[in-house]
C-alpha cells in the first residue's frame, strides 16, 4: 500500500536519496507523497503534495531545496482522509518536533484523537496517522526519551503499522516500528535505511534485516539496533539480497508491465529448473513427506486477486493429479468463515508480495486451527514467507507494475511443481503421465518464448477492439480459470468492464447480455473440452457476438471457421495450457490500455501489495 523510506546518512544529502527510493516504490501508492529532512541549521523541513511523485520532485527541485543527511519519505495510497496536501505524509506533531510516516491503519484513532483534543491538541489532517504523531509528542513530553515514547504509543494503538519517525532532538537517528505492515532495515555503505520494500534501497544497501511484528528499531548512520515491545535489545539476522538492480528498472521499455510480461519465460525457468534433477522434482525447500501427504484430507488454496486466480488453476490441476478435494477461497473470506481446518488440512497461501494482509491473516487463522501451511511466495523474507510452515519461492524477481504478470505465471509454475510432486508421493499419477507433464513443464519457457517472438496479431486485435465497453471472457475448466485472470487484467488496466464466465453457465442467465457486436473473448486452449468450447462460440455468434478466440496452434484452423479473430499459442500438456494461454490475454489487456491512453503501470485507485484489510 503506502511506501515508506528513511535514510540516516553520513554525508550524502538525504532528500534526493529519499525521492529516488520513493520512485522505486511508487507502485505501492501514488495519490500523494512527502518527505521530511532534518538538518542542524534548518531543523525539520517537511514538503508534501498531492499527486504523483513527480509533483514532489518538482516542488523540492529534485530534493535540492531540503538540507540534511537524515530523513523520511512516503508515497501514499489513501485510506483515511482524501488524497490532498494536508493528508499527505509525513505528519508533524503540533510543536513541529516530530515527523512521522505511516503505512497501515490505526483502528482506534478516533478515540485517541478525541482524547488528545480534550487535552487541547490541534489536528491538521483527517488521517489516522497524524494521531500517532501527536500521541508521540504527548508521550515524549512525559518521558523525554524517544524510544520509550514510541514504546508507550505502541501500547496504546490498535491496528496495523509500519512507522518511520524523526525527532528534532535526535539529529542522527530514525526510529522505525512495525506490526502487520512490512518494514525492512538496510545497512548501506554511506548510511542506513528503513523501507517498506527492498526495491527502494537495493541500489544503496543489500544487507537487510527483516523487522518482526512488535519490534522497534533505532537506525543511525553507523548502527542499527532492534528492540522488542518491552524495549529489550534483539539480535537480528542479516540477509543479503541478490536481486539485480536492473530488474527493478524499466530498462528502455515504455512500461514495467510490458517488460515483466516479456520476462515470464525466464522467471518460469528460474522457478522450475533448480527444482528438477534427473527427471524428478526435488523440493529441498519444503518438508512435505509421503507420510504427511497420506494424512491430508483437505486442501485449501487461499489468496487474493490474481493469486486467487492462480489458485483456481491450481485446483483444477491438483484435483486431476491428486484426486483430493481442493477448495480455493478468497483470503478476505477465509479468515471470517470458520474454515474447516484441522491437523490434516494443508493450506496453501499464494502471494507474490508476501505482504497481503488478508492472505497473512488467513495464514495465521489456518495455523491457529492447527493446519499445516505452505506459502507460494515471491519475496524472500516477506511476512507470509516467514510465518508459513513451508515456503516455496517463485523466482520472478521484483515485480513493479501494479498489475501482476510474471508473479501470476510463476505461481502457476510453482503450483504445477508442487501438485505433481505430491501426486508422485501419493502415487496418484502414472509414471508416464508424471514424465509427460514434467517434460512439458521444462520446455514451457521455450514455448512461451516462441509465442513472444511474434505477437503482432494480438496487438492488432487490441487496436480493433479497444473501443468496446464491455467484454465477456468465456471458457471451460482451465480455460475458465484462465479467463478470470484475463478478464481482471483487462479491467484493472484499461478500465473496461469485463466478466469471465464458465461457458456452460452462459445460458443460465448471462447470455441475455450478448447482443450484436458484443465482444466475447472465447478461450479454447483446453484440449479435452475443445469441442464444447466451440459449441459455445457458435452459441454466442448466433446472438451476434464478435468473437476473439484464444486457442492453440493445433486447434487454430478449427477455431478460425467460427471465430472472427483467432490468436494461437503453442500446444502443451492440457494442464499446463493456461501458462501459455494467459500471455496473449495479458498482452491484449496491455495494448487495449495503451490505445485508451491509460496509466498502465499505475492504474487508478490501485496499489501493489495491499497491506490493509
Ligand atoms: C492484479 C494483482 C492483484 C494481486 C493481489 C494479491 O493484477 O496484482 O490482484 O494479485 O493483490 O497480491 P499478492 O500476490 O502480492 O498477495
Amino acid at each position: 500500500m503506502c511506501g515508506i523510506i528513511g535514510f540516516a546518512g553520513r554525508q550524502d544529502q538525504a532528500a534526493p536519496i529519499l525521492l529516488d527510493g520513493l520512485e522505486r516504490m511508487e507502485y505501492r501508492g501514488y495519490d500523494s507523497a512527502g518527505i521530511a529532512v532534518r538538518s542542524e541549521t534548518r531543523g525539520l523541513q517537511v514538503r508534501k503534495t498531492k499527486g504523483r511523485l513527480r509533483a514532489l520532485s518538482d516542488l523540492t527541485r529534485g530534493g535540492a531545496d531540503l538540507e540534511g543527511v537524515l530523513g523520511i519519505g512516503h508515497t501514499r495510497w489513501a485510506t483515511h482522509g482524501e488524497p490532498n496536501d494536508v493528508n499527505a505524509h509525513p505528519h508533524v506533531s503540533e510543536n513541529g518536533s516530530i515527523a512521522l510516516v505511516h503505512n497501515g491503519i490505526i483502528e482506534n484513532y478516533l478515540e485517541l484523537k478525541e482524547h488528545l483534543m480534550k487535552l487541547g491538541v490541534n489536528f491538521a489532517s483527517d488521517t489516522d496517522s497524524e494521531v500517532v504523531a501527536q500521541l508521540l509528542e504527548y508521550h515524549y513530553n512525559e518521558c523525554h526519551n524517544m524510544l520509550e515514547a514510541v514504546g508507550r504509543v505502541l501500547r496504546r494503538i490498535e491496528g496495523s503499522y509500519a512507522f518511520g519517525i524523526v525527532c528534532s532532538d535526535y539529529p542522527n537517528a530514525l526510529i522505525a516500528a512495525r506490526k502487520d505492515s512490512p518494514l525492512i532495515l538496510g545497512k548501506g555503505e554511506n548510511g542506513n535505511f528503513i523501507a517498506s520494500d527492498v526495491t527502494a534501497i537495493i541500489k544503496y544497501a543489500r544487507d537487510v534485516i527483516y523487522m518482526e511484528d512488535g519490534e522497534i528499531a533505532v537506525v543511525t548512520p553507523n548502527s542499527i539496533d532492534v528492540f522488542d515491545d518491552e524495549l529489550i535489545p534483539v539480535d537480528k539476522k542479516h540477509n543479503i539480497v541478490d536481486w539485480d538492480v536492473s530488474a527493478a528498472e524499466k530498462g528502455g521499455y515504455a512500461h514495467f508491465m510490458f517488460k515483466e510480461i516479456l520476462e515470464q519465460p525466464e522467471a518460469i525457468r528460474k522457478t522450475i529448473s533448480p527444482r528438477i534433477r534427473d527427471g524428478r522434482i526435488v523440493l529441498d525447500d519444503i518438508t512435505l513427506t509421503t507420510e504427511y501427504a497420506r494424512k491430508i484430507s483437505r486442501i485449501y488454496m487461499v489468496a487474493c486477486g490474481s493469486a486467487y486466480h492462480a489458485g483456481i488453476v491450481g485446483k483444477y490441476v491438483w484435483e486431476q493429479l491428486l484426486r483430493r478435494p481442493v477448495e480455493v477461497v478468497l483470503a478476505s473470506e477465509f479468515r471470517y468463515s470458520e474454515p474447516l481446518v484441522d491437523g490434516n488440512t494443508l493450506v496453501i497461501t499464494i502471494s507474490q508480495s508476501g505482504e497481503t494482509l488478508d492472505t497473512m491473516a488467513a495464514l495465521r487463522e489456518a495455523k491457529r486451527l492447527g493446519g499445516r501451511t505452505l506459502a507460494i511466495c515471491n519475496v524472500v523474507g516477506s511476512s507470509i514467507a516467514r510465518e508459513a510452515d513451508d515456503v516455496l519461492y517463485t523466482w520472478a524477481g521484483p515485480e513493479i507494475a501494479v498489475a501482476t504478470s510474471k508473479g501470476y505465471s510463476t505461481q502457476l509454475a510453482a503450483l504445477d511443481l508442487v501438485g505433481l510432486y505430491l501426486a508422485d508421493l501419493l502415487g496418484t499419477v502414472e509414471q508416464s503421465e508424471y514424465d509427460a507433464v514434467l517434460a512439458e513443464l521444462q520446455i514451457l519457457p521455450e514455448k512461451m518464448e516462441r509465442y513472444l517472438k511474434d505477437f503482432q496479431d494480438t496487438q492488432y486485435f487490441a487496436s480493433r477492439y479497444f473501443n468496446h465497453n464491455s467484454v465477456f471472457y468465456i471458457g471451460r475448466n482451465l480455460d475458465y480459470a484462465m479467463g478470470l485472470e484475463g478478464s481482471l487484467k483487462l479491467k484493472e488496466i484499461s478500465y473496461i468492464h469485463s466478466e469471465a464466465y464458465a461457458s456452460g453457465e452462459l445460458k443460465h442467465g448471462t447470455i441475455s447480455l450478448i447482443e450484436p457486436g458484443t465482444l466475447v473473448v472465447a478461450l479454447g486452449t483446453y484440449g479435452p473440452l475443445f469441442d464444447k468450447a466451440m459449441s459455445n462460440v457458435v452459441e454466442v455468434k448466433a446472438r451476434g457476438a464478435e468473437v476473439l478466440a484464444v486457442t492453440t496452434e493445433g486447434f487454430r484452423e478449427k477455431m478460425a471457421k467460427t471465430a472472427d479473430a483467432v490468436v494461437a499459442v503453442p500446444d502443451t500438456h492440457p494442464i499446463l495450457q493456461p501458462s501459455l494461454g494467459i500471455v496473449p490475454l495479458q498482452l491484449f489487456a496491455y495494448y487495449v490500455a495503451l490505445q485508451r491512453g491509460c496509466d498502465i503501470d499505475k492504474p487508478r485507485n490501485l496499489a501493489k501489495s495491499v497491506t490493509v484489510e
Side-chain angles (χ1 to χ4, degrees):
M1 298 296 359
C2 306
I4 289 180
I5 183 164
F7 176 57
R10 294 190 197 105
Q11 282 173 341
D12 295 336
Q13 287 296 299
I17 293 177
L18 296 174
L19 288 172
D20 179 58
L22 289 178
E23 197 184 329
R24 288 162 194 281
M25 261 191 312
E26 208 182 3
Y27 59 83
R28 298 183 71 91
Y30 32 87
D31 52 43
S32 53
I35 48 179
V37 174
R38 189 201 176 282
S39 85
E40 281 305 329
T41 46
R42 297 200 208 159
L44 213 51
Q45 309 136 78
V46 178
R47 301 283 185 284
K48 49 186 190 170
T49 179
K50 182 183 166 187
R52 294 285 165 92
L53 198 61
R54 173 117 311 271
L56 180 66
S57 185
D58 291 346
L59 181 75
T60 58
R61 294 189 307 122
D65 283 353
L66 288 88
E67 182 192 288
V69 295
L70 180 103
I72 49 177
H74 189 265
T75 173
R76 179 170 187 243
W77 186 84
T79 56
H80 291 61
E82 65 171 282
N84 59 26
D85 292 359
V86 177
N87 290 335
H89 298 216
H91 289 287
V92 181
S93 66
E94 202 175 0
N95 70 7
S97 66
I98 294 168
L100 163 143
V101 287
H102 169 218
N103 177 20
I105 293 180
I106 305 303
E107 281 158 8
N108 59 339
Y109 82 105
L110 278 175
E111 183 190 317
L112 292 167
K113 188 169 180 173
E114 265 172 36
H115 174 72
L116 287 166
M117 283 168 84
K118 276 191 199 135
L119 297 174
V121 176
N122 293 303
F123 283 82
S125 77
D126 306 322
T127 64
D128 51 336
S129 313
E130 187 192 352
V131 175
V132 183
Q134 306 288 17
L135 198 60
L136 258 174
E137 181 186 300
Y138 173 80
H139 284 294
Y140 182 66
N141 287 342
E142 271 177 355
C143 63
H144 303 288
N145 176 312
M146 201 53 197
L147 188 60
E148 175 59 34
V150 171
R152 288 184 191 187
V153 167
L154 298 190
R155 282 192 279 280
R156 293 190 63 180
I157 59 177
E158 286 160 22
S160 60
Y161 51 79
F163 293 126
I165 302 160
V166 284
C167 171
S168 44
D169 291 350
Y170 289 74
N172 293 319
L174 300 171
I175 308 238
R178 82 153 261 176
K179 180 175 164 270
D180 293 336
S181 240
L183 202 59
I184 58 157
L185 310 169
K187 189 166 174 286
E189 296 257 300
N190 301 316
N192 294 330
F193 289 85
I194 64 170
S196 304
D197 200 323
V198 215
T199 46
I201 60 166
I202 193 170
K203 205 166 126 188
Y204 312 96
R206 285 179 175 279
D207 179 341
V208 303
I209 294 170
Y210 299 107
M211 287 185 76
E212 299 290 339
D213 281 352
E215 288 180 346
I216 308 173
V218 179
V219 177
T220 73
N222 302 311
S223 62
I224 298 179
D225 294 301
V226 181
F227 303 87
D228 68 10
D229 53 1
E230 304 285 328
L231 306 186
I232 296 169
V234 187
D235 246 353
K236 296 293 289 183
K237 182 173 164 243
H238 286 246
N239 304 268
I240 302 299
V241 178
D242 60 4
W243 276 359
D244 179 2
V245 182
S246 66
E249 287 171 351
K250 255 192 256 176
Y253 291 96
H255 297 98
F256 276 112
M257 184 177 177
F258 187 64
K259 176 177 176 252
E260 288 162 3
I261 290 173
L262 299 185
E263 282 171 354
Q264 292 181 108
E266 195 48 26
I268 293 177
R269 199 172 274 128
K270 284 189 176 149
T271 302
I272 294 173
S273 306
R275 292 165 171 143
I276 301 176
R277 279 177 234 148
D278 304 325
R280 303 229 62 83
I281 300 172
V282 183
L283 299 183
D284 292 330
D285 26 11
I286 63 176
T287 56
L288 292 177
T289 58
T290 309
E291 198 191 354
Y292 173 76
R294 290 213 178 102
K295 283 203 311 201
I296 301 173
S297 59
R298 185 187 293 271
I299 299 170
Y300 280 110
M301 293 192 183
V302 187
C304 303
S306 295
Y308 168 74
H309 295 156
I312 296 178
V313 171
K315 171 188 166 72
Y316 282 110
V317 172
W318 283 36
E319 286 187 344
Q320 270 196 41
L321 292 172
L322 300 178
R323 310 310 304 154
R324 294 273 193 290
V326 178
E327 218 176 307
V328 193
V329 189
L330 290 165
S332 52
E333 292 294 317
F334 183 86
R335 58 186 297 200
Y336 299 120
S337 65
E338 297 181 32
L340 302 171
V341 174
D342 62 20
N344 298 332
T345 312
L346 176 62
V347 180
I348 315 284
T349 52
I350 312 166
S351 174
Q352 185 282 127
S353 62
E355 298 294 349
T356 302
L357 187 79
D358 284 321
T359 311
M360 182 71 208
L363 172 85
R364 286 183 180 159
E365 179 65 0
K367 286 182 81 169
R368 190 185 68 80
L369 295 168
R372 170 146 184 177
T373 54
L374 163 63
I376 291 182
C377 182
N378 191 42
V379 179
V380 175
S382 56
S383 308
I384 290 173
R386 279 178 294 143
E387 288 201 24
D389 296 317
D390 280 301
V391 53
L392 188 94
Y393 285 110
T394 52
W395 297 116
E399 192 179 59
I400 310 292
V402 165
T404 182
S405 55
K406 61 176 181 172
Y408 169 82
S409 49
T410 50
Q411 286 162 356
L412 294 193
L415 286 166
D416 292 332
L417 266 182
V418 185
L420 199 55
Y421 176 80
L422 283 176
D424 186 36
L425 290 188
L426 291 169
T428 51
V429 63
E430 299 279 339
Q431 187 61 49
S432 56
E433 179 72 349
Y434 179 92
D435 293 341
V437 178
L438 198 57
E440 280 299 317
L441 197 54
Q442 282 175 286
I443 55 171
L444 205 55
E446 279 149 58
K447 292 195 169 177
M448 201 182 261
E449 272 157 1
R450 200 163 92 208
Y451 170 75
L452 285 170
K453 274 205 180 100
D454 178 12
F455 48 82
Q456 270 180 4
D457 52 355
T458 305
Q459 186 174 1
Y460 165 70
F461 294 136
S463 64
R464 186 156 132 192
Y465 296 127
F466 78 94
N467 264 333
H468 283 257
N469 292 323
S470 186
V471 182
F472 293 91
Y473 285 70
I474 61 168
R476 286 172 183 265
N477 198 283
L478 282 165
D479 279 331
Y480 164 56
M482 179 174 90
L484 289 166
E485 176 59 7
S487 166
L488 176 61
K489 288 281 92 69
L490 185 74
K491 52 193 150 199
E492 68 182 327
I493 63 169
S494 75
Y495 315 142
I496 296 177
H497 170 256
S498 92
E499 298 294 338
Y501 284 96
S503 313
E505 189 59 18
L506 272 186
K507 44 184 150 341
H508 298 285
T510 324
I511 202 158
S512 65
L513 291 167
I514 307 283
E515 52 184 40
T518 303
L519 180 60
V520 173
V521 178
L523 308 170
T525 71
Y526 184 61
L529 294 176
F530 180 78
D531 290 340
K532 301 259 177 229
M534 278 304 296
S535 316
N536 297 118
V537 173
V538 173
E539 221 165 67
V540 291
K541 280 297 299 169
R543 271 85 186 167
E546 175 80 14
V547 175
L548 164 63
V550 175
T551 187
T552 66
E553 286 162 356
F555 289 124
R556 183 203 287 267
E557 220 173 290
K558 267 192 178 172
M559 185 59 100
K561 290 195 178 119
T562 313
D564 299 286
V566 180
V567 170
V569 294
D571 290 81
T572 181
H573 190 286
I575 64 173
L576 305 179
Q577 206 65 63
S579 294
L580 296 176
I582 193 61
V583 184
L585 300 184
Q586 295 164 339
L587 284 165
F588 179 70
Y590 174 81
Y591 283 116
V592 166
L594 199 64
Q595 290 279 345
R596 293 167 72 98
C598 300
D599 192 346
I600 294 178
D601 281 341
K602 301 186 187 95
R604 70 180 176 215
N605 304 338
L606 287 172
K608 207 164 181 74
S609 189
V610 184
T611 54
V612 292
E613 210 179 329

